[in-house]
Amino acid sequence: MEKLETWKVILIILAVFGYVIGNIMLLKYANKFNVKDKIDKQIKPEQGDEKEKEKEKEEPK
């Protein structure tokens, strides 16, 4: 079995570190976006409409 040359080992280590650091940076960047707030804004109006329709149905009785 042949041994890996030093430059190949260093290249593999750098590639792994680059991959890990890149993913960490991506997570930090993605954390800046408030996706939950946008989803809540999209869901809440629908729930509000349903409640208003229920109130309208109850009033005419």
Side-chain angles (χ1 to χ4, degrees):
M1 186 171 157
E2 295 181 33
K3 293 183 178 181
L4 290 175
E5 296 179 22
T6 305
W7 67 271
K8 290 181 181 178
V9 173
I10 292 172
L11 186 64
I12 291 170
I13 292 171
L14 288 176
V16 170
F17 277 124
Y19 182 78
V20 171
I21 291 171
N23 282 330
I24 291 171
M25 291 174 65
L26 179 63
L27 286 172
K28 286 184 177 182
Y29 179 73
N31 194 26
K32 291 181 182 179
F33 299 105
N34 291 331
V35 177
K36 184 178 179 187
D37 293 338
K38 291 180 181 178
I39 291 173
D40 288 342
K41 287 180 183 177
Q42 290 176 354
I43 293 174
K44 284 181 182 177
E46 292 175 2
Q47 292 174 349
D49 290 342
E50 290 174 1
K51 290 179 182 177
E52 289 176 8
K53 289 178 183 177
E54 289 175 6
K55 287 181 183 178
E56 290 175 1
K57 288 179 183 178
E58 291 175 3
E59 290 175 4
K61 289 182 181 179

